[in-house]
Amino acid sequence: MGSTKFFVTLCVVPLLASSFCSAQLSATFYASTCPNLQTIVRNAMTGAVNGQPRLAASILRLFFHDCFVNGCDGSILLDDTATFTGEKNANPNRNSARGFEVIDTIKTRVEAACNATVSCADILALAARDGVVLRGGPSWTVPLGRRDARTASQSAANSQIPSPASSLATLISMFSAKGLSAGDMTALSGGHTIGFARCTTFRNRIYNDTNIDASFATTRRASCPASGGDATLAPLDGTQTRFDNNYYTNLVARRGLLHSDQELFNGGSQDALVRTYSTNGATFARDFAAAMVKMGNISPLTGRNGEIRRNCRVVN
Ligand code: HEM
Ligand SMILES: *[C@@H]1O[C@H](CO)[C@@H](O)[C@H](O)[C@H]1NC(C)=O
Ligand SMILES: *[C@@H]1O[C@H](CO)[C@@H](O)[C@H](O)[C@H]1NC(C)=O
């Protein structure tokens, strides 16, 4: 705990805040201020995911979309109001981002146990990890101490979250802009081992792409017509209830659902890593966990920056 106190002391000195407090997350940040935090989050996630397995996927994606827009600062959780435009209606999120009620439930329980102490951004980081674990994926220690943004950016959400039409070069450069390597990008894309996508996000792929397994395309076309049915869901992975390495096996078989998925195995720089992950689930699990920690470190607000939101949907 000595190091935590030292950290807090440094961070209350405004002059030092920017230089010392940025990205100084710590696994024990709430050890004395909210000792039951991890149990509360895990229990709530267990209940939510037992009731609806997809919620593990939905919350993992919320964390990705939070971190890619001005850092992991809970900005995606803010509701739009008459006077505030947040990120929920940005193109990558509208009619798509989901799971917010689970975060609300967790926040309510955390506030009851440790009032005004734990940020929504940290709750999301823990919940994303727990969802992965609950679907059979790897576990990792989540560095904590993020604070919540008082702002959000719809335009940054539109421009900085990659589209499923992206080329490999675009994916690599958009992750690189966040300090993540091409290998991190390929490992993190394995998040698509769970969850669903809407027809509108993969229609062009199943009708127009040529690097696609013919029988897979036929199957997917049956429930995603060339026009209409935009919201019809398909699993991102044939074993979407399990967090496994089957996503990569699919890619090698040219059965990636999104155009962007198949870009990882289309004769380019990530082919070898995709092959490795397709035959070595433990390597994927290890790399995914490490890359999640890295993604969780994108520009956190720390020290005296931001706030501890009372309600994850509204700035205090
Ligand atoms: C590499 C660039 C990525 C692109 C282009 C991309 C794109 C997409 C798209 C289009 C969907 C379907 C959304 C819908 O139809 O509503 C989706 C779903 C999903 N994405 Fe990604 N994604 C990427 C990276 C990631 C990363 C890094 C993660 C997490 C580590 C992730 C986790 C998920 C999950 C879990 C779902 C399913 C959500 C649910 O079922 O509610 N994605 N993604
Ligand atoms: C929680 O903390 C806030 C801010 O410090 C305070 O205004 C509020 O009264 C507290 N609520 C409870 C139930 O202790
Ligand atoms: C296939 O590509 C063409 C040419 O870009 C486009 O006009 C058409 O809408 C695409 N078809 C589907 C089903 O997306």
Side-chain angles (χ1 to χ4, degrees), residues 75-106:
S75 57
I76 194 176
L77 304 173
L78 293 170
D79 281 343
D80 284 5
T81 69
T83 55
F84 181 88
T85 301
E87 295 162 18
K88 289 184 178 180
N89 286 303
N91 295 323
N93 296 331
R94 192 177 50 245
N95 299 322
S96 178
R98 61 195 297 283
F100 298 107
E101 299 76 11
V102 180
I103 301 303
D104 293 337
T105 299
I106 299 172

Side-chain angles (χ1 to χ4, degrees), residues 23-285:
Q24 295 296 308
L25 303 179
S26 151
T28 57
F29 190 81
Y30 300 108
S32 61
T33 56
C34 196
N36 293 328
L37 171 63
Q38 307 235 2
T39 306
I40 294 168
V41 176
R42 177 64 59 95
N43 288 346
M45 281 300 291
T46 302
V49 171
N50 284 348
Q52 191 192 130
R54 186 185 176 193
L55 285 168
S58 304
I59 284 174
L60 175 59
R61 185 165 184 247
L62 285 188
F63 184 56
F64 164 51
H65 285 199
D66 185 26
C67 292
F68 263 56
V69 182
N70 296 327
C72 313
D73 61 359
S75 57
I76 194 176
L77 304 173
L78 293 170
D79 281 343
D80 284 5
T81 69
T83 55
F84 181 88
T85 301
E87 295 162 18
K88 289 184 178 180
N89 286 303
N91 295 323
N93 296 331
R94 192 177 50 245
N95 299 322
S96 178
R98 61 195 297 283
F100 298 107
E101 299 76 11
V102 180
I103 301 303
D104 293 337
T105 299
I106 299 172
K107 177 66 170 172
T108 301
R109 294 185 192 175
V110 168
E111 288 304 285
C114 328
N115 184 32
T117 303
V118 180
S119 66
C120 298
D122 278 343
I123 286 173
L124 185 53
L126 288 168
R129 188 272 315 271
D130 287 354
V132 169
V133 170
L134 289 162
R135 302 318 288 155
S139 189
W140 60 92
T141 300
V142 179
L144 299 166
R146 300 169 188 81
R147 290 167 64 87
D148 296 322
R150 294 194 179 94
T151 58
S153 175
Q154 188 178 85
S155 61
N158 279 327
S159 62
Q160 295 177 27
I161 296 171
S163 130
S166 303
S167 66
L168 178 61
T170 297
L171 294 172
I172 290 173
S173 81
M174 292 181 85
F175 277 69
S176 167
K178 304 294 171 187
L180 298 168
S181 69
D184 294 331
M185 186 274 293
T186 295
L188 287 167
S189 295
H192 290 174
T193 180
I194 53 174
F196 294 86
R198 291 162 303 147
C199 170
T200 185
T201 67
F202 60 83
R203 175 181 286 122
N204 198 46
R205 163 145 177 81
I206 62 175
Y207 287 95
N208 276 339
D209 279 3
T210 52
N211 60 348
I212 187 167
D213 175 72
S215 76
F216 175 71
T218 302
T219 303
R220 285 289 156 256
R221 286 174 189 167
S223 57
C224 178
S227 75
D230 282 10
T232 307
L233 298 176
L236 281 156
D237 173 344
T239 60
Q240 72 78 26
T241 61
R242 283 203 61 77
F243 196 102
D244 57 18
N245 65 336
N246 194 53
Y247 169 79
Y248 300 98
T249 318
N250 291 338
L251 296 185
V252 171
R254 302 196 309 168
R255 297 165 73 97
L257 183 63
L258 305 179
H259 175 83
S260 52
D261 291 329
Q262 198 61 55
E263 281 290 294
L264 304 183
F265 189 84
N266 191 37
S269 66
Q270 300 307 294
D271 281 20
L273 190 54
V274 169
R275 276 192 197 281
T276 298
Y277 291 158
S278 76
T279 57
N280 193 331
T283 302
F284 163 56

